[in-house]
C-alpha cells in the first residue's frame, strides 16, 4: 500500500515532442504528490507538486495531471528539450514533507534527442 | 531553499572498513533524512536524523550498520559500517527547511566498496 508505481522505466523523445510519465498509488491517505528531476551527479530537485484538491497544475512546460478516482498522476513535459534529459521521480506522502516521509517511484530516465 | 554540502562527494573503500559521510546545511532545518540510491534505482529512505536523540530507522536498516548523528539543527553524519560491495551506492542527505515544506537533497556521496 505504501508503493508508488512509475512507468515507463525509460523514455526517448524527439526535441519538441511531449514526454509523459505516469505514476499510480494505492494508499488513499496520500495527499501530496511531487515530481523530482535528477541530473547525473546531482541530487534530485523538486520540479513541481500537486495536491488532490486540483486535477491539474502547470508550471511552464511542465504539467501534472491528477486523477483521484483512478489513483494516478502523470507528468507532461511539453516541447521537450535536450536539456530536459534527466531521471524523473514521482513521489507521494500523507502530509507535508516536514511531517511525513516521501515514498518515491522507481524513476524514469528521459532522453530527448535533437 | 536550503543549501546542502555533503562530504565526501565520492570515495572508494575496502571491504570491512567504515566510512562517515557528513551533511552540512547553511540554515536551520526542521527535518534531516538520509537516503540511499543504488545504481539505476530509486531513492530509499534509510532513516530520519533526530536532533539530540537516536535516529528513526526504516525497515531493513539498523543502527549498528548505519549509525547516524545529528548534534544540532544544521549538521548530521551517516556512517556505513563494516562495508561490503553491496553497500556501493549513492548516499543522499536531504532536509526540510523551516517553513519551506519542501524536501531538498544534497548532491550525494558516491561510495564504491571493493
Amino acid at each position: 500500500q505504501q508503493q508508488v508505481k512509475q512507468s515507463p522505466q525509460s523514455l526517448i523523445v524527439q526535441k519538441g515532442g511531449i514526454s509523459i510519465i505516469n505514476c499510480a498509488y494505492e494508499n488513499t491517505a496520500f495527499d501530496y504528490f511531487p515530481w523530482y528531476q535528477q541530473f547525473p551527479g546531482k541530487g534530485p530537485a523538486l520540479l513541481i507538486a500537486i495536491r488532490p484538491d486540483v486535477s491539474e497544475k502547470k508550471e511552464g512546460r511542465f504539467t501534472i495531471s491528477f486523477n483521484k478516482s483512478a489513483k494516478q498522476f502523470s507528468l507532461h513535459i511539453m516541447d521537450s528539450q535536450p536539456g530536459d534529459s534527466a531521471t524523473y521521480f514521482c513521489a507521494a506522502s500523507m502530509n507535508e514533507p516536514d511531517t511525513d516521509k516521501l515514498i518515491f517511484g522507481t524513476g524514469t530516465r528521459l532522453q530527448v534527442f535533437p | 531553499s536550503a543549501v546542502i554540502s555533503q562530504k565526501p562527494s565520492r570515495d572508494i573503500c575496502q571491504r570491512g572498513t567504515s566510512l562517515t559521510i557528513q551533511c552540512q546545511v547553511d540554515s536551520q532545518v526542521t527535518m534531516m533524512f538520509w537516503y540511499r540510491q543504488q545504481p539505476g534505482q530509486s531513492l530509499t529512505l534509510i532513516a530520519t536524523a533526530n536532533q539530540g536523540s537516536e535516529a528513526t530507522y526504516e525497515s531493513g536498516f539498523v543502527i549498528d550498520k548505519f549509525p547516524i548523528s545529528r548534534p544540532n539543527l544544521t549538521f548530521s553524519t551517516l556512517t556505513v559500517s563494516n562495508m561490503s560491495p553491496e553497500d556501493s551506492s549513492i548516499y543522499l542527505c536531504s532536509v526540510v527547511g523551516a517553513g519551506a515544506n519542501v524536501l531538498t537533497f544534497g548532491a550525494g556521496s558516491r561510495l564504491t566498496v571493493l
Side-chain angles (χ1 to χ4, degrees):
Chain A
Q1 261 222 335
Q2 286 293 92
Q3 281 188 325
V4 178
K5 296 180 181 179
Q6 184 172 347
S7 63
Q9 188 174 7
S10 64
L11 183 61
I12 298 174
V13 174
Q14 279 228 271
K15 179 182 175 181
I18 302 173
S19 304
I20 302 174
I21 305 170
N22 301 299
C23 284
Y25 63 98
E26 289 294 323
N27 190 343
T28 55
F30 286 148
D31 73 348
Y32 174 71
F33 303 89
W35 284 89
Y36 279 78
Q37 178 188 55
Q38 184 179 30
F39 293 105
K42 305 290 186 182
L46 178 67
L47 186 62
I48 186 172
I50 197 169
R51 290 197 170 274
D53 52 345
V54 296
S55 60
E56 186 175 282
K57 183 174 181 180
K58 184 176 181 180
E59 290 185 3
R61 296 184 294 109
F62 300 90
T63 300
I64 300 179
S65 296
F66 187 84
N67 186 329
K68 188 173 182 178
S69 61
K71 292 184 285 186
Q72 295 175 346
F73 59 110
S74 59
L75 176 69
H76 297 236
I77 306 175
M78 310 300 288
D79 187 26
S80 298
Q81 299 296 312
D84 297 330
S85 298
T87 299
Y88 293 80
F89 294 95
C90 63
S93 69
M94 286 185 278
N95 276 302
E96 303 281 0
D98 64 342
T99 58
D100 188 60
K101 64 186 180 186
L102 281 171
I103 308 297
F104 284 87
T106 49
T108 297
R109 186 182 175 199
L110 171 65
Q111 296 174 275
V112 181
F113 286 97
Chain B
S1 59
V3 176
I4 302 170
S5 299
Q6 265 189 253
K7 293 180 183 179
S9 59
R10 59 177 62 228
D11 207 339
I12 300 173
C13 302
Q14 296 299 316
R15 179 196 297 260
T17 62
S18 298
L19 178 75
T20 295
I21 302 167
Q22 298 181 359
C23 175
Q24 178 72 57
V25 191
D26 69 341
S27 57
Q28 292 187 354
V29 296
T30 56
M31 304 288 286
M32 294 184 82
F33 305 95
W34 287 98
Y35 280 83
R36 181 173 72 182
Q37 186 175 24
Q38 293 177 304
Q41 304 279 327
S42 186
L43 300 143
T44 302
L45 181 62
I46 297 172
T48 302
N50 300 310
Q51 190 216 344
S53 65
E54 190 173 290
T56 304
Y57 290 85
E58 296 299 307
S59 175
F61 298 96
V62 295
I63 188 171
D64 290 346
K65 177 67 176 177
F66 298 101
I68 289 171
S69 77
R70 186 182 172 190
N72 56 50
L73 291 173
T74 63
F75 185 78
S76 178
T77 66
L78 167 73
T79 299
V80 186
S81 303
N82 188 25
M83 290 183 286
S84 67
E86 292 71 37
D87 294 320
S88 296
S89 191
I90 299 172
Y91 293 86
L92 295 146
C93 173
S94 65
V95 304
V96 178
N101 285 337
V102 172
L103 187 66
T104 302
F105 285 88
S109 299
R110 181 182 292 270
L111 176 62
T112 302
V113 184
L114 303 177

